[in-house]
Amino acid sequence: MTEIDVRQKVLATNAAAAESLRSGFRLTGTLVVNLISSPGSGKTTFLEATARALRDRLRLGALDGDIATERDADRLRRQGIPARQILTGGACHLDARQIEKALAEENGRLSTLDLLLIENVGNLICPTSYDLGEDFKVALLSVTEGDDKPFKYPAIFARAAVTVVTKADLLEHVEFDLGAVRDQVAALNPSGAFLVTSSRTGAGMDAWYALLENALAEKRGAPALASR
Amino acid sequence: MHETGLAADAYRIARDAADARGGGAIESVTLVVGELSAVEPELLGFAWEAVVSGTPDARARLVVEWRRATQRCAACGEIAERAPGSWLRLCPICGDALAVTGGDELDVRSVAFEGGDA
């Protein structure tokens, strides 16, 4: 019997693919965000609003991860941006190799953009483990899900650079302590951004668009808009 | 249930490492799993059984070394384990924000196998 030290990361293959994607996106100056949330938090509606607001200023595209159906990509295409659905066939998350494959199949249509929006499979746990070569992760939490989610699913809220509360127009109808959620996120992730939005009314969305445009400017080495 | 994919990756890493040393059937694989890795050890155990069944390593055991999350205060250097059930990230000594310094691990640590040229 032989016992050997291996000391290799289980996710090393994914990490290598993610780094390769990241170098490619650095060359094209594409800002890539990876949106993670539970099902029904309003990710697609949030991205529809984002597409409408930014499509005339930026070259946008989207990748949508789902177990089945083209529904989300169809919705984003109707907003006038290129979108591709990645069907995971049962898997609960996207991985970097699926992103590589989808980009290759689009022949560059989705890799030479200003902004690539990746809508992960609706799940607060599994997508957290997989680096997709993104610039940062965004966690979405709708006010109908309950105000205890950050502490119940700490990994994603600790790793997301931005937490977005969605469906804030419903706040008056649900018991959702916004202050408590803000405190939990601040405790998990003191340097993260915290936005309160409604895709339906547009409330808070300008802060999201500014954040994206600033991050893009920063990635390209230009002075951030916020400092003008 | 991303544990299935992770178990398959861990098995492939272990099998490749054993092959590289001219090894036979794997007896055990030790995996370091951090509390913040978003992995459920029990699910990982089920997934492991499924992954190795039908392979020459069907009897290989998965040993999980669990790592608690640890935090460090940049201001006063205090290193503390996260209090059980609590995610408050404030230093008990000086009140500054604590940074996570451990608990993200998801690594194949070692492989034990029959034979081998070591």
Side-chain angles (χ1 to χ4, degrees):
Chain A
M1 221 268 285
T2 309
E3 177 153 18
I4 57 169
D5 265 11
V6 178
R7 294 174 194 273
Q8 192 176 330
K9 295 202 171 301
V10 173
L11 287 163
T13 313
N14 186 76
E19 275 320 306
S20 156
L21 284 167
R22 193 168 277 118
S23 327
F25 291 134
R26 203 176 292 126
L27 286 175
T28 57
T30 305
L31 182 76
V32 184
V33 296
N34 178 5
L35 286 91
I36 298 176
S37 78
S38 43
S41 66
K43 278 192 300 303
T44 311
T45 307
F46 184 74
L47 291 180
E48 285 174 320
T50 304
R52 275 195 300 277
L54 297 180
R55 67 189 171 199
D56 296 333
R57 300 210 289 277
L58 300 177
R59 291 172 300 160
L60 259 79
L63 288 172
D64 289 274
D66 248 322
I67 309 285
T69 87
E70 282 274 328
R71 187 181 146 81
D72 291 353
D74 279 343
R75 283 174 59 184
L76 293 173
R77 283 192 283 263
R78 281 200 290 275
Q79 300 303 323
I81 70 168
R84 183 184 183 87
Q85 194 85 38
I86 300 175
L87 295 179
T88 64
C92 48
H93 59 274
L94 293 173
D95 67 39
R97 280 170 291 186
Q98 290 171 313
I99 304 292
E100 280 183 329
K101 183 164 171 281
L103 294 180
E105 286 169 2
E106 289 284 323
N107 295 318
R109 202 167 66 109
L110 285 178
S111 40
T112 53
L113 301 166
D114 297 315
L115 174 60
L116 176 63
L117 305 158
I118 302 177
E119 179 178 357
N120 220 310
V121 180
N123 180 325
L124 277 177
I125 304 172
C126 307
T128 309
S129 298
Y130 289 83
D131 184 355
L132 304 181
E134 73 270 2
D135 289 282
F136 55 86
K137 293 178 174 50
V138 179
L140 286 85
L141 171 63
S142 61
V143 303
T144 50
E145 289 170 63
D147 51 24
D148 52 357
K149 287 295 177 294
F151 278 179
K152 287 173 81 171
Y153 299 90
I156 180 54
F157 291 97
R159 288 180 196 177
V162 185
T163 295
V164 179
V165 173
T166 59
K167 307 187 189 181
D169 54 296
L170 298 178
L171 268 173
E172 59 183 301
H173 305 292
V174 292
E175 298 223 352
F176 184 88
D177 186 340
L178 197 54
V181 171
R182 189 188 296 271
D183 288 348
Q184 288 173 55
V185 173
L188 291 168
N189 191 344
S191 61
F194 186 83
L195 305 176
V196 180
T197 67
S198 164
S199 305
R200 201 161 79 178
T201 68
M205 293 299 283
D206 284 345
W208 163 244
Y209 307 143
L211 188 151
L212 289 174
E213 293 196 288
N214 284 337
L216 178 63
E218 197 176 314
K219 181 162 188 171
R220 294 181 172 176
L225 292 172
S227 63
R228 288 196 306 202
Chain B
M1 171 79 175
H2 61 313
E3 283 81 359
T4 309
L6 296 174
D9 280 347
Y11 172 60
R12 188 186 45 75
I13 289 168
R15 191 58 258 171
D16 288 352
D19 284 345
R21 303 289 287 270
I26 295 175
E27 301 201 352
S28 68
V29 174
T30 302
L31 211 59
V32 179
V33 180
E35 189 176 14
L36 305 178
S37 64
V39 169
E40 169 55 51
E42 199 173 327
L43 289 179
L44 196 62
F46 285 131
W48 179 261
E49 299 293 327
V51 164
V52 296
S53 74
T55 76
D57 302 305
R59 297 178 62 187
R61 283 180 306 118
L62 179 71
V63 179
V64 171
E65 275 185 21
W66 185 248
R67 292 277 193 279
R68 289 284 305 274
T70 56
Q71 305 175 310
R72 186 174 186 280
C73 174
C76 70
E78 174 75 6
I79 299 174
E81 269 200 355
R82 182 173 68 79
S86 151
W87 276 92
L88 292 177
R89 286 273 195 82
L90 297 177
C91 177
I93 310 295
C94 70
D96 213 46
L98 291 168
V100 172
T101 54
D104 278 323
E105 302 86 351
L106 185 55
D107 305 329
V108 178
R109 183 187 167 77
S110 60
V111 186
F113 49 91
E114 289 171 358
D117 54 20

